[in-house]
Amino acid sequence: MDKKEAKNRIDKLKKEIDRHRYAYHVLDAPEISDAAYDSLFAELSALEKEFPEFATSTSPTQRVGAEPLKAFQKVRHARTQWSFDDVFDLEELKAWEEKAKRMLEKAGVADSQLEYCCELKIDGLKMILTYAKGKFAAGATRGDGVIGEDVTSNLKTIQSIPLELEQAVDVIAVGECWLGKKELARINQEREKKGEALFANTRNAAAGSIRQLDPRIAASRRLDSFIYDIDRLEGAAPATQVEELELLKKLGFKVNTEYRLCKNIEQAQEFYKSWTDKKNQQDYEIDGIVIKINSREFQETLGYTGKSPRWGVAYKFPAAQVTTVVEDIKVQVGRTGALTPVAYLRPVRVAGSTVSRATLHNEDEIRRLDVRIGDTVIIHKAGDVIPEVVEVVKNLRTGKEKMFHMPTDCPMCGGPVKREIIGLKKGEESAAHYCLNPGCFAIKREQLSHFVSRKGFNIVGFGEKIVEHLMQEGLVSNAADIFELTVGDLEPLERFAEKSALKLVEAIEKSKKITLEKFLYALGIRHVGEETAVLIAQNLQSVAGNKKIRNLEALAETFAQISVDSWLKIKGIGEKSAQSLAQWFGDKENKKLLGRMQALWIVLEFPAFAEAAGIRSLSGKVFVLTGQLAGFTRDEAKDMIRKRGGEISSSVSKKTDYVVAGVDPGSKYDKAKELGVKVIDEEEFKKILGE
């Protein structure tokens, strides 16, 4: 091959490889296989090696060609790199809009009706890309906004960043370098095998990758990019932000297509809410949206403060993790007698609500975290999960913090407390403290609150305060007493009038008809939660044998005779649950309680599950629900799965078929990604249900 022919072939190969790079890494629409792409790349490499005079800095082969650096060079940005101010709710957003309108009116802008370009705020690392005559010349990090670091060699390794633009223009483009969640899982898996520290999140991993002195390491991390702004441009600049994004696409940059032109702030709020619900469905992390006044003329009129543009704002999603101070640690007594330490916090807003308490689980967890009264802590809240303390910020300690010790006597009744070892997984144990006084007021109160709760008898208006009030008045001491309450009993009490008393009595009467699984759950049998109650209801006849159970009396009589071994025959019921069931239904006092309920006309609805209905579309499928669903309550979603023969699990494993992810899914979502379990959103869940 002569030189002319070689140059022609090299030029064509570069163009073809770059076309396929764009299709694969920008459009996500590959036209040829990886093997075919590699073959073209290998041919180009060989030709450039044979004819080095035709190798150029913008060749695809030059993406990973630089030698490792000894240190990064500092570079001054051609234009200051600002960061947007944050807002966290609609009230703050409207205040920002009003301020912008006032400034525009003061500047003589008559039209105060603003349009907004709303874009996703990618949680990555900001980068500034400089092109000379369409060729990639330099790339830098933001740094302090004035001085950044030259990371050109590493940015060249990102396939979605073009080395040569579609037009030979001088331009400085700004965007975000990011790492996908799947890629993070892969990298952490490799680091774990090597005994290296794991990356905490995708942003840290992206930042760590871009700041590698060896470009080959950056290349191995499969980083990606989204470009969203033009700092400088040869020729006339676009008149609006939307036109700017369209121009960036035409030049060959990868632009996130999930942006929207909003005619008013209400439409911007709708866009924000829609992405609050579906932000976790993307492979990249999103921590809010950026709202920019669309008109460039208005942007220039508004200008900047000392650190931020006045014409845009970052509307952040509710944080799942925040810091606050532990003001006290107190102990709560649950329905099983378990003593749970609770951190009383300086009130703080997290995941869209203000919280002032967080569970510390047990003494072992307190010791593991080394949490003390007065500590600054990180708390986490995902969806409807109870907030918990995940880490102590020990560097902020003053020396005045106080250690906490579990009480040796019950803080409610003064009864003896016993530390009991609870098995978790193989090789793991956890110690819980229990009040041994069965007559403890706190235990009784929690048992009755559990009995009337939404997942139990669901008696509307019968909250914990009412339970405690009625116990203090001597009207209620066990579950059966609830069904004997009359308007005459309630009306004389403080907080009650004739109307409210009548409403509560009507709610109690309405609750007397209850499904078997909810009834079993309401009894509050130790180690028998919601899922175990469902398993018993589904397998009722298999444990009852030939006996026909049609009412509460027959149920009590039959269950009293079922042995631990018989309970264990139900798939999913463990030894502790089986022992608790046998013990509870064999207890004389509990038999009397069930007899009273039968006499008070408690009517059980026996299950018509998938077996009876002939609907088994989800038979054998295991689901895990995480985060908040918009169209269902968690209980409704579970019932729909069960009625179709599916199973519910509280934790993600390789046996899980689907993880249904709502808003703020938390660690279960991450675990699913790590294990390769299919994650579906609410719309896909509805399709699976056939809704």
Side-chain angles (χ1 to χ4, degrees), residues 249-263:
K249 279 194 266 186
K250 286 178 184 176
L251 289 173
F253 291 108
K254 184 173 183 178
V255 173
N256 191 302
T257 57
E258 299 290 352
Y259 62 85
R260 183 188 298 176
L261 177 63
C262 296
K263 299 294 184 183

Side-chain angles (χ1 to χ4, degrees), residues 570-635:
I570 298 177
K571 183 183 176 183
I573 291 185
E575 192 170 336
K576 291 198 172 184
S577 298
Q579 288 172 348
S580 279
L581 286 161
Q583 184 181 350
W584 198 94
F585 284 104
D587 183 86
K588 287 182 181 179
E589 292 302 316
N590 292 334
K591 286 179 182 178
K592 287 180 185 177
L593 180 69
L594 295 176
R596 281 186 65 198
M597 288 187 188
Q598 170 69 22
L600 290 164
W601 296 96
I602 304 300
V603 178
L604 298 184
E605 291 181 326
F606 291 87
F609 285 98
E611 290 83 355
I615 304 170
R616 298 193 56 82
S617 61
L618 301 180
S619 179
K621 300 294 183 185
V622 179
F623 288 77
V624 171
L625 303 173
T626 179
Q628 292 176 312
L629 301 174
F632 309 91
T633 65
R634 184 70 65 89
D635 292 337

Side-chain angles (χ1 to χ4, degrees), residues 547-559 598:
K547 296 179 182 178
K548 289 188 177 180
I549 300 175
R550 292 291 179 266
N551 55 39
L552 181 50
E553 184 180 13
L555 180 98
E557 184 182 333
T558 303
F559 278 20
Q598 170 69 22

Side-chain angles (χ1 to χ4, degrees), residues 274-336:
S274 71
W275 278 100
T276 303
D277 294 341
K278 61 186 180 183
K279 66 179 186 295
N280 293 308
Q281 297 168 18
Q282 308 302 316
D283 190 42
Y284 47 86
E285 293 284 358
I286 311 165
D287 60 354
I289 67 169
V290 177
I291 301 174
K292 302 173 184 174
I293 292 174
N294 193 41
S295 165
R296 181 171 287 277
E297 180 188 348
F298 290 173
Q299 288 183 12
E300 290 173 355
T301 301
L302 288 167
Y304 302 82
T305 65
K307 62 184 182 69
S308 305
R310 292 192 181 97
W311 43 266
V313 73
Y315 194 176
K316 301 293 284 290
F317 293 136
Q321 284 194 345
V322 296
T323 59
T324 186
V325 174
V326 177
E327 296 184 330
D328 201 357
I329 297 176
K330 296 181 181 179
V331 170
Q332 292 182 347
V333 182
R335 63 182 173 83
T336 64

Side-chain angles (χ1 to χ4, degrees), residues 125-425:
L125 185 72
K126 189 173 184 179
M127 56 188 175
I128 299 89
L129 310 176
T130 301
Y131 288 78
K133 302 302 179 187
K135 291 181 169 59
F136 184 44
T141 61
R142 178 184 181 273
D144 64 3
V146 177
I147 305 290
E149 289 182 323
D150 185 340
V151 288
T152 306
S153 296
N154 286 342
L155 292 177
K156 277 186 174 182
T157 70
I158 302 176
Q159 293 289 337
S160 57
I161 294 178
L163 298 181
E164 192 163 3
L165 302 179
E166 293 298 312
Q167 299 174 26
V169 294
D170 292 339
V171 63
I172 298 176
V174 180
E176 206 80 9
C177 164
W178 57 272
L179 190 83
K181 297 171 187 174
K182 292 177 184 175
E183 181 63 6
L184 175 65
R186 183 191 70 80
I187 292 168
N188 274 344
Q189 198 171 29
E190 288 182 0
R191 292 175 73 86
E192 190 172 22
K193 287 177 184 176
K194 295 175 184 176
E196 297 174 345
L198 305 186
F199 286 118
N201 51 53
T202 55
R203 191 187 188 285
N204 287 359
S209 301
I210 282 298
R211 297 199 75 259
Q212 290 291 329
L213 293 171
D214 188 348
R216 288 171 296 186
I217 297 176
S220 72
R221 301 273 173 85
R222 301 173 194 169
L223 294 158
D224 211 330
S225 70
F226 285 125
I227 308 302
Y228 50 73
D229 219 344
I230 295 175
D231 263 1
R232 285 189 180 176
L233 177 67
E234 177 187 354
T240 67
Q241 176 64 20
V242 169
E243 289 175 11
E244 189 169 305
L245 293 172
E246 292 299 321
L247 175 59
L248 286 166
K249 279 194 266 186
K250 286 178 184 176
L251 289 173
F253 291 108
K254 184 173 183 178
V255 173
N256 191 302
T257 57
E258 299 290 352
Y259 62 85
R260 183 188 298 176
L261 177 63
C262 296
K263 299 294 184 183
N264 50 52
I265 213 70
E266 286 72 29
Q267 288 185 7
Q269 174 69 10
E270 288 172 14
F271 181 78
Y272 170 83
K273 286 181 68 177
S274 71
W275 278 100
T276 303
D277 294 341
K278 61 186 180 183
K279 66 179 186 295
N280 293 308
Q281 297 168 18
Q282 308 302 316
D283 190 42
Y284 47 86
E285 293 284 358
I286 311 165
D287 60 354
I289 67 169
V290 177
I291 301 174
K292 302 173 184 174
I293 292 174
N294 193 41
S295 165
R296 181 171 287 277
E297 180 188 348
F298 290 173
Q299 288 183 12
E300 290 173 355
T301 301
L302 288 167
Y304 302 82
T305 65
K307 62 184 182 69
S308 305
R310 292 192 181 97
W311 43 266
V313 73
Y315 194 176
K316 301 293 284 290
F317 293 136
Q321 284 194 345
V322 296
T323 59
T324 186
V325 174
V326 177
E327 296 184 330
D328 201 357
I329 297 176
K330 296 181 181 179
V331 170
Q332 292 182 347
V333 182
R335 63 182 173 83
T336 64
L339 273 60
T340 303
V342 175
Y344 280 65
L345 309 167
R346 186 175 295 166
V348 63
R349 192 166 179 81
V350 55
S353 60
T354 300
V355 300
S356 57
R357 298 181 190 182
T359 180
L360 290 168
H361 300 291
N362 53 48
E363 187 177 37
D364 286 354
E365 184 69 0
I366 290 175
R367 298 292 167 260
R368 185 186 72 80
L369 291 167
D370 187 24
V371 61
R372 306 173 189 181
I373 298 167
D375 268 336
T376 298
V377 295
I378 298 172
I379 64 167
H380 177 85
K381 183 175 184 283
D384 55 1
V385 177
I386 298 167
E388 62 179 353
V389 175
V390 295
E391 189 178 340
V392 176
V393 186
K394 294 180 181 178
N395 288 338
L396 294 179
R397 281 182 173 166
T398 63
K400 296 180 180 179
E401 293 77 17
K402 296 178 183 177
M403 297 280 287
F404 171 80
H405 300 281
M406 288 294 288
T408 53
D409 299 319
C410 175
M412 294 301 296
C413 71
V417 168
K418 180 184 176 184
R419 182 175 161 96
E420 183 178 321
I421 301 296
I422 305 169
L424 298 174
K425 299 175 184 175

